[in-house]
């Protein structure tokens, strides 16, 4: 297990290093001088030069890359070109919205998908299965932001159960915050729940055909008991991978859903930064997204090896 | 052919038909403003109503489907054009340095969330349909490279390939003449699925302003315009959304059906 972990860890670090290089290189070839952009075209040459020094723009490219990566390792993401505040703080503030939203959606997705998948698998080939699979086919195809708009139309405008948008902040209480995130989380969860339900169903169907399931039935367990004690655990392996993948989809999806509900999350930060050409913020947020995706995949790989020891030797 | 595949094919053909017809005819010119008749609900004159500029929504959707499908098709074509040769090359010597290099580069691209890639590209080069295509095209390359390599690897073990090698054909020639024709099926299936994904990607990117720019209508672009008006005129959001769902369901059903029809054993990378 240690060898396996070490191997995965090395590939994790390598991936992150390459990804950071790519991001840095792409941002480097961006046209335009951030200092000039901040000061406007009429800026005095000496003010411009001073600002360039302050932002560290006059250092050589390798030095700036190392400074950027080194800073991030210590939690210093640089200073925003437009707001002149530390990027790390800006990101942390926004994460307090985007991260709870992502987790909330993940929980909803699992709560919907598990029963749906188990139900469909248990009624394989019957009406219930067909209906469930038809529903998930539709769920996969519905754009989450469109679904979000429809939810607003029904539950905010017509029924008035929820606010159409905005976020009161966590200091107004956890319930108030969760209430404001409920519609966005449902919209975000629906397509992922559909995918997860399909995976759950096919994983269960694979397991149901195994010999040990027949043995479990032969020793006197009912269908339900066998499914619960032996089927589910073994079906969880593929399901776990998809859940891991979904974390990154949900986080990316949150960025878009936030636009529908006017939530002050990472999404708003990114699009504001793109519009004001605040490239250092864009650079850091993109790196953060890539970091989350690569790290989650790493953790899924490890969880895999824990659940199924056979995978440790295979790489 | 299964029932799902029938439904999928009919849906896809219908949507494709609408897109093609828009080249020669739409009920109204799609860019024609008619402010006095803005935000009209669906009626006989405007089956899907009008938007905030009085433009006919049905006409815009027909052109929008064309734009969205265009974006998706070009991006899939980029993935095919680069992914297939890379996958074939990697499979020729499994575990060799070429294989390692191609597959590790693939892993890095694959690790980039699609949205992060699109954000990076548009932040640097500005938002446009072209840049959305490039972002999704780049994302597609490792998908097709993996599928191609996976399909090709098992073929390299087969007797007829061995026979071709004994006959003195080069690996390159075998790849082109024997491997490629035998993995076309799985590539078509994967292409259909990436096409459906492309429709959704275009919609999402254009919705947040990173994709197709006005005045060109695309399905995502129309939803972006509809966002502030959905509460007073729901129809301007409902129809473009239904069009997206129609295309995606159609393509997905067709892809699944094709897969079962061609070879029930083959596996597709779902992203």
């Amino acid at each position: 297990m240690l060898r396996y972990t070490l191997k995965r860890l090395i590939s994790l670090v390598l991936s992150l290093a390459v990804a950071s290089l790519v991001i840095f290189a792409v941002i480097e070839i961006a046209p335009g001088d951030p200092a000039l952009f901040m000061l406007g075209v009429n800026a005095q040459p000496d003010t411009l030069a001073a600002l360039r020094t302050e932002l560290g723009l006059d250092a050589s490219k390798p030095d700036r890359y190392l400074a950027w990566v080194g800073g991030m390792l210590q939690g210093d993401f640089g200073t925003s070109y437009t707001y002149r505040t530390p990027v790390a703080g800006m990101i942390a503030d926004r994460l307090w919205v985007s991260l709870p939203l992502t987790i909330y959606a993940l929980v909803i997705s699992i709560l919907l998908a598990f029963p749906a998948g188990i139900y469909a698998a248990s009624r394989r080939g019957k009406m219930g299965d067909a209906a469930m699979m038809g529903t998930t086919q539709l769920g996969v195809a519905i754009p989450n932001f469109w679904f979000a708009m429809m939810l607003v139309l029904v539950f905010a405008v017509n029924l008035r159960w929820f606010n159409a948008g905005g976020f009161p902040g966590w200091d107004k209480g956890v319930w108030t915050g969760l209430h404001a995130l409920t519609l966005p989380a449902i919209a975000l969860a629906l397509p992922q729940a559909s995918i997860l339900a399909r995976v759950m169903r096919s994983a269960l169907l694979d397991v149901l055909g195994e010999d040990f399931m027949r043995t479990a039935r032969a020793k006197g367990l009912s269908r339900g008991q066998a499914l619960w004690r032996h089927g589910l655990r073994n079906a969880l392996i593929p399901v776990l991978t998809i859940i891991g993948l979904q974390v990154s989809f949900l986080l990316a999806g949150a960025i878009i859903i936030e636009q529908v509900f006017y939530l002050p999350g990472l999404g708003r930060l990114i699009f504001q930064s793109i519009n004001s050409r605040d490239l250092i913020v864009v650079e850091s947020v993109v790196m953060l997204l890539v970091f989350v995706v690569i790290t989650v995949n790493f953790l899924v790989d490890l969880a895999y090896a824990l659940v199924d020891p056979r995978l440790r030797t295979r790489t | 052919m299964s029932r799902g595949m029938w439904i999928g094919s009919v849906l896809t053909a219908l949507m494709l038909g609408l897109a093609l017809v828009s080249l020669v005819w739409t009920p109204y010119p799609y860019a024609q403003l008619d402010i006095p008749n803005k935000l009209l609900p669906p009626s006989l004159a405007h089956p899907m109503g009008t938007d905030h500029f009085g433009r006919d929504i049905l006409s815009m959707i027909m052109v929008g489907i064309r734009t969205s499908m265009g974006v998706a098709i070009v991006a899939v074509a980029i993935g095919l054009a680069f992914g297939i040769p890379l996958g074939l090359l990697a499979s020729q010597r499994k575990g060799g340095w070429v294989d390692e290099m191609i597959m590790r580069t693939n892993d890095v691209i694959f690790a980039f969330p699609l949205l992060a890639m699109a954000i990076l590209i548009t932040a640097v080069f500005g938002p446009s349909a072209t840049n959305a295509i490039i972002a999704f095209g780049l994302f597609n390359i490792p998908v097709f490279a993996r599928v191609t390599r996976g399909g090709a690897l098992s073929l390299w073990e087969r007797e007829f390939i061995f026979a071709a090698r004994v006959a003195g054909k080069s690996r390159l020639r075998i790849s082109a003449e024997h491997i490629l024709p035998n993995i076309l099926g799985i590539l078509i299936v994967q292409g259909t699925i990436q096409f459906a994904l492309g429709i959704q990607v275009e919609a999402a990117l254009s919705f947040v302003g990173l994709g197709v720019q006005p005045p060109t209508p695309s399905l995502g672009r129309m939803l972006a315009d509809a966002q502030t008006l959905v509460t007073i005129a729901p129809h301007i959001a409902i129809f473009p959304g239904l069009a997206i769902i129609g295309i995606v369901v159609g393509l997905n059903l067709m892809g699944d059906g094709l897969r079962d029809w061609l070879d029930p054993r083959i596996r597709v990378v779902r992203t």
Side-chain angles (χ1 to χ4, degrees):
Chain A
M1 186 70 198
L2 190 70
R3 238 180 95 90
Y4 178 82
T5 313
L6 221 59
K7 250 180 150 170
R8 291 272 116 198
L9 202 63
I10 293 171
S11 101
L12 168 87
V13 173
L14 269 179
S15 305
L16 285 175
V18 176
S20 68
L21 262 174
V22 172
I23 293 171
F24 183 78
V26 172
I27 294 285
E28 275 305 302
I29 50 175
D33 176 357
L36 191 66
F37 189 81
M38 283 165 71
L39 294 174
V41 280
N42 297 321
Q44 297 295 327
D46 51 335
T47 345
L48 200 63
L51 184 63
R52 289 180 59 85
T53 314
E54 188 196 324
L55 296 175
L57 288 171
D58 48 2
S60 73
K61 282 186 202 296
D63 282 348
R64 285 177 38 214
Y65 171 72
L66 290 178
W68 177 56
V69 173
M72 279 194 303
L73 289 178
Q74 295 162 23
D76 174 13
F77 286 65
T79 308
S80 157
Y81 292 156
T82 11
Y83 296 101
R84 311 299 293 271
T85 49
V87 178
M90 291 166 77
I91 292 179
D93 285 350
R94 309 311 179 100
L95 273 180
W96 273 107
V97 178
S98 299
L99 220 51
L101 176 56
T102 305
I103 295 167
Y104 195 177
L106 189 65
V107 172
I108 295 178
S109 167
I110 292 172
L111 287 181
L112 287 176
F114 274 47
I118 295 170
Y119 173 76
S122 68
R123 322 233 92 217
R124 180 184 196 177
K126 299 199 181 111
M127 271 300 288
D129 182 24
M132 197 59 91
M133 285 304 101
T135 313
T136 56
Q137 192 65 259
L138 209 60
V140 173
I142 294 178
N144 53 18
F145 58 92
W146 182 78
F147 187 55
M149 284 155 88
M150 297 300 120
L151 286 177
V152 168
L153 208 57
V154 175
F155 294 104
V157 178
N158 288 327
L159 295 173
R160 298 186 179 279
W161 291 354
F162 296 92
N163 287 329
F167 186 68
W170 293 110
D171 43 334
K172 292 274 191 312
V174 174
W175 286 114
T176 324
L178 283 181
H179 189 253
L181 291 183
T182 300
L183 286 187
I186 294 175
L188 203 50
L190 173 88
Q192 303 303 330
S194 305
I195 296 172
L196 202 55
R198 296 180 81 87
V199 175
M200 186 79 209
R201 172 182 178 272
S202 64
L204 269 176
L205 289 181
D206 281 349
V207 170
L208 289 180
E210 296 277 356
D211 289 342
F212 63 80
M213 287 301 285
R214 203 176 46 212
T215 310
R217 294 276 280 132
K219 77 174 187 188
L221 292 184
S222 74
R223 263 184 73 92
Q225 280 171 325
L227 190 74
W228 190 249
R229 285 197 207 156
H230 302 285
L232 263 180
R233 173 180 303 202
N234 284 290
L236 272 183
I237 297 174
V239 172
L240 207 65
T241 336
I242 302 296
I243 291 180
L245 282 174
Q246 291 199 329
V247 173
S248 44
F249 287 134
L250 287 171
L251 193 61
I255 287 172
I256 289 171
I257 287 291
E258 282 165 11
Q259 301 299 301
V260 180
F261 292 94
Y262 305 99
L263 297 174
L266 272 186
R268 195 192 282 180
L269 179 67
I270 288 179
F271 297 119
Q272 273 172 355
S273 312
I274 290 179
N275 286 330
S276 56
R277 297 202 57 77
D278 200 345
L279 291 182
I280 189 142
V281 178
V282 176
E283 192 176 41
S284 300
V285 176
V286 170
M287 188 64 222
L288 186 77
L289 284 178
V290 174
F291 174 79
V292 171
V293 173
I294 295 182
T295 312
V296 167
N297 287 346
F298 166 73
L299 292 177
V300 170
D301 275 351
L302 283 194
Y304 247 20
L306 275 179
V307 178
D308 188 348
R310 281 169 303 179
L311 290 167
R312 286 177 208 168
T313 45
R314 242 203 282 153
T315 43
Chain B
M1 280 207 286
S2 65
R3 190 154 32 128
M5 194 168 156
W6 267 111
I7 301 172
S9 309
V10 169
L11 254 178
T12 309
L14 195 81
M15 294 294 174
L16 198 64
L18 276 178
L20 291 177
V21 167
S22 80
L23 284 168
V24 289
W25 177 83
T26 48
Y28 297 83
Y30 72 86
Q32 179 181 296
L33 306 187
D34 184 10
I35 305 288
N37 286 320
K38 65 176 183 179
L39 297 177
L40 289 182
S43 63
L44 272 181
H46 298 279
M48 294 184 181
T50 61
D51 75 351
H52 52 301
F53 291 126
R55 292 176 293 187
D56 180 55
I57 291 187
L58 175 59
S59 308
M60 287 181 75
I61 284 189
M62 289 171 69
V63 179
I65 294 175
R66 198 174 81 207
T67 318
S68 303
M69 281 189 165
V71 168
I73 287 175
V74 178
V76 171
I78 293 176
L80 288 168
F82 291 93
I84 295 177
L86 286 173
L88 286 176
L89 211 61
S91 73
Q92 285 178 12
R93 290 186 204 277
K94 185 187 176 194
W97 65 271
V98 178
D99 182 23
E100 280 297 315
M101 216 170 70
I102 293 175
M103 293 324 286
R104 293 295 82 77
T105 315
N106 264 339
D107 288 346
V108 172
I109 303 183
F110 216 60
F112 270 80
L114 179 52
L115 190 69
M117 190 127 78
I119 286 170
L120 201 61
I121 290 174
T122 48
V124 173
F125 303 105
S128 70
T130 316
N131 290 338
I133 291 174
I134 293 175
F136 186 52
L138 268 176
F139 173 84
N140 276 332
I141 296 173
V143 173
F144 286 109
R146 278 182 186 198
V147 171
T148 305
R149 178 176 177 272
L153 277 182
S154 57
L155 285 174
W156 277 106
E157 312 282 324
R158 301 269 292 272
E159 284 83 2
F160 73 100
I161 299 293
F162 187 63
R165 291 192 59 189
V166 170
K169 287 190 181 181
S170 69
R171 284 171 189 266
L172 220 59
R173 214 173 130 197
I174 294 175
S175 286
E177 288 177 10
H178 300 290
I179 305 275
L180 191 56
N182 278 297
I183 53 171
L184 264 186
I186 185 170
L187 285 173
I188 293 172
V189 172
Q190 189 71 46
T192 317
I193 285 165
Q194 294 310 108
F195 186 12
L197 189 64
I199 298 290
Q200 291 179 306
V201 169
E202 184 282 324
L205 290 182
S206 300
F207 179 71
V208 291
L210 298 183
V212 177
Q213 299 297 308
T216 315
S218 81
L219 298 174
R221 187 65 239 155
M222 291 177 75
L223 287 177
D225 287 340
Q227 202 205 331
T228 44
L229 299 158
V230 63
T231 49
I232 40 175
H235 65 273
I236 71 172
I238 291 174
F239 292 113
L242 290 180
I244 295 174
I245 297 169
I247 302 174
V248 176
V249 168
L251 285 170
N252 279 341
L253 284 177
M254 213 167 83
D256 288 351
L258 269 176
R259 183 192 52 204
D260 298 343
W261 190 48
L262 287 169
D263 181 355
R265 283 164 307 166
I266 58 178
R267 285 259 171 211
V268 180
V269 181
R270 278 273 183 192
T271 45

